[in-house]
Amino acid sequence: MNNHIPLFFASRTLIESVVRGLFRKLPNITLLERTAVTGIAAARRNTLEAKGVHVTPLDGGAPTTLVADLIVDASGRASKAPDPSQLPREWWWKGVWIDLKLPEHTFAGVLFPIEHGRWLVTLAGVSKNYPPSDEAGFMATLHQLRSPIIAEMVRFAEPISPVYSNRAMANRFRHYEQWKARLDGFVALGDAVCAFNPVYGQGMTTGTVSATILCDCLKQYDPATPTCHATFSSYKRVFNSTHGAWRLARIFVFL
């Protein structure tokens, strides 16, 4: 029995360079150098499946996704693989709003948290650049925004509805406060009076305020009396409560 055990000493740099050199000689291997893996591309069927990795060149260039049948993390103890499972929940209550920047960025996007752990994701386009209404196209367009943050966040989400599109962007104000005729027993509220571009969400607020005004009127007067109709049908309070939102809507118009 030989009790002499030979030892070979070398720096880690030398060992890694030798391994890398041998690795390069493998015919079915492509080595991407100076490239950072920024995340795992996953898809949900019956279960969540890893389908590739998102990579970004360190010397500049556009991020891309490498499709793979199997992903092996051999990055050692500094591996960041556990990180994607820990979503930065402190971001969600604030939400994300990414505006367009013409001419290179013709899409805008928002991501806001709503009840029950759900997120509302919206894309908007200008100059007839309409966001796609299919899921694959919608996801691809998220990567065209000025910042990748919404696309990166949505990667961890599970869709709970189809993509819905809307091109009714017109703002319209029916000036009932100028109506000289009188029609007792009739009132108009919300979008029936003032309809807004839905991107900015004024309609929900102004409709609620108008309903509150009607509620106050009904508390004061019997709805069957002409006094109630005359009080509300003048629409002065409705106009005053809506006019500020209307002026704001005229500033933010997508052409």
Side-chain angles (χ1 to χ4, degrees):
M1 182 176 180
N2 187 355
N3 293 323
H4 298 285
I5 301 176
L7 297 177
F8 297 94
F9 295 94
S11 66
R12 179 166 179 168
T13 303
L14 176 59
I15 294 173
E16 290 185 350
S17 66
V18 171
V19 172
R20 190 180 297 264
L22 295 172
F23 192 71
R24 292 178 190 274
K25 295 179 181 180
L26 297 176
N28 58 343
I29 294 294
T30 299
L31 189 62
L32 296 180
E33 298 188 73
R34 297 196 55 75
T35 302
V37 176
T38 58
I40 297 175
R44 184 177 291 277
R45 292 190 176 92
N46 294 327
T47 61
L48 193 63
E49 301 178 42
K51 292 297 184 182
V53 291
H54 301 292
V55 296
T56 301
L58 298 181
D59 295 327
T64 187
T65 300
L66 298 179
V67 178
D69 294 323
L70 178 65
I71 302 168
V72 178
D73 180 4
S75 56
R77 69 181 66 196
S79 170
K80 293 182 172 54
D83 293 350
S85 63
Q86 301 299 321
L87 293 180
R89 296 184 181 275
E90 67 273 12
W91 292 352
W92 300 116
W93 71 272
K94 297 178 182 177
V96 181
W97 182 305
I98 301 174
D99 253 330
L100 51 87
K101 183 180 180 182
L102 298 176
E104 61 269 31
H105 297 287
T106 57
F107 293 106
V110 297
L111 185 149
F112 294 132
I114 57 176
E115 67 277 2
H116 306 307
R118 296 178 295 169
W119 307 335
L120 179 65
V121 186
T122 304
L123 279 173
V126 298
S127 302
K128 297 186 177 180
N129 288 283
Y130 303 120
S133 56
D134 62 289
E135 184 175 331
F138 187 87
M139 293 296 295
T141 305
L142 288 177
H143 288 277
Q144 299 180 36
L145 297 175
R146 293 171 61 189
S147 167
I149 189 169
I150 294 181
E152 289 299 304
M153 290 175 170
V154 171
R155 285 199 300 112
F156 299 106
E158 178 181 355
I160 59 174
S161 76
V163 176
Y164 296 101
S165 60
N166 177 44
R167 296 183 184 176
M169 312 302 284
N171 298 299
R172 185 199 63 222
F173 202 161
R174 291 188 171 117
H175 289 278
Y176 281 105
E177 81 282 357
Q178 300 176 8
W179 193 17
K180 296 181 180 179
R182 175 172 165 175
L183 182 61
D184 291 347
F186 169 81
V187 296
L189 290 176
D191 285 359
V193 176
C194 190
F196 296 93
N197 179 337
V199 169
Y200 300 104
Q202 300 106 316
M204 295 288 288
T205 301
T206 56
T208 301
V209 172
S210 297
T212 301
I213 294 172
L214 177 60
C215 181
D216 291 341
C217 180
L218 293 176
K219 288 178 179 178
Q220 289 182 284
Y221 306 103
D222 187 317
T225 63
T227 304
C228 178
H229 302 144
T231 301
F232 187 82
S233 294
S234 66
Y235 287 96
K236 292 297 183 182
R237 291 178 63 191
V238 174
F239 171 79
N240 291 336
S241 66
T242 306
H243 187 57
W246 173 252
R247 293 183 62 186
L248 184 64
R250 294 178 63 187
I251 297 174
F252 297 108
V253 176
F254 279 170
L255 302 176

